[in-house]
Amino acid sequence: MSENLDDIDKAILNLLQDDATLPLKAVSESVHVSIATAQRRIQTLINSGVITKQVAIVDPHKVGYGLTAVVMIEMARSNTSMQHRFERLMNAQPQVMSCYEVSGDADFMLMVNAKNMSDYHRFTTGLLTYENNVRNFKSQFVMNFTKSGTKILLD
């Protein structure tokens, strides 16, 4: 659908990525269309899968999750069914914020939030095991959030 996005769609998406709670009136005024047009375009963006979710982004530290780790996973066996099984397992884990299949030495990269080191240790010993096709994993701990975002700027 990217080739079908016009300047109004892009402007709407840029606004909603900053604040999905904007009233339709504010969106319509900002992009210079009627409220009905703005509503119809947003619904089309949702129906076509361009907008996949509208969520609140929570500061992990303010809700008791003081540890964020970037985890590089090396799989024991590389086959499609085992990778899909691992992806499903990670999708089911609430502490896994992101799971990416990546190129290079690692097969997957995870972003994991944990309450503390004991909580993270339970995650690794329970899930990052040979039984789940994990040969090796390396953890890097986030010291400071310089930038953490979700916006894709459309121009």
Side-chain angles (χ1 to χ4, degrees):
M1 168 142 183
S2 64
E3 61 274 354
N4 296 331
L5 295 177
D6 63 13
D7 290 341
I8 293 170
D9 290 329
K10 291 175 185 177
I12 289 171
L13 288 168
N14 284 332
L15 286 170
L16 294 180
Q17 286 183 94
D18 285 332
D19 184 357
T21 67
L22 280 175
L24 279 172
K25 185 175 194 279
V27 173
S28 67
E29 287 173 355
S30 183
V31 301
H32 310 292
V33 298
S34 70
I35 292 174
T37 298
Q39 183 177 30
R40 189 171 47 255
R41 284 180 176 250
I42 291 168
Q43 192 59 53
T44 299
L45 292 165
I46 292 168
N47 293 344
S48 66
V50 172
I51 295 175
T52 59
K53 276 186 182 180
Q54 296 179 32
V55 300
I57 298 174
V58 175
D59 182 330
H61 295 282
K62 292 186 178 178
V63 294
Y65 284 78
L67 187 79
T68 301
V70 178
V71 187
M72 304 305 289
I73 307 287
E74 182 185 345
M75 305 305 286
R77 295 174 300 283
S78 290
N79 65 55
T80 303
S81 68
M82 294 300 286
Q83 285 185 323
H84 288 168
R85 181 177 174 268
F86 182 78
E87 290 168 353
R88 286 190 304 276
L89 179 65
M90 292 302 106
N91 279 331
Q93 304 311 310
Q95 62 270 53
V96 175
M97 302 302 293
S98 303
C99 176
Y100 302 99
E101 183 179 1
V102 296
S103 63
D105 293 335
D107 296 301
F108 288 94
M109 182 186 87
L110 308 176
M111 290 292 293
V112 177
N113 280 336
K115 293 178 181 177
N116 51 42
M117 187 56 76
S118 294
D119 188 33
Y120 180 71
H121 186 251
R122 276 189 299 279
F123 169 80
T124 61
T125 57
L127 294 167
L128 303 184
T129 63
Y130 192 75
E131 290 80 30
N132 290 323
N133 196 35
V134 175
R135 173 182 292 146
N136 187 28
F137 69 92
K138 294 180 180 160
S139 304
Q140 296 182 322
F141 298 98
V142 174
M143 303 296 289
N144 183 31
F145 286 97
T146 303
K147 180 178 181 181
S148 178
T150 60
K151 184 172 184 175
I152 299 170
L153 182 62
L154 302 170
D155 53 3

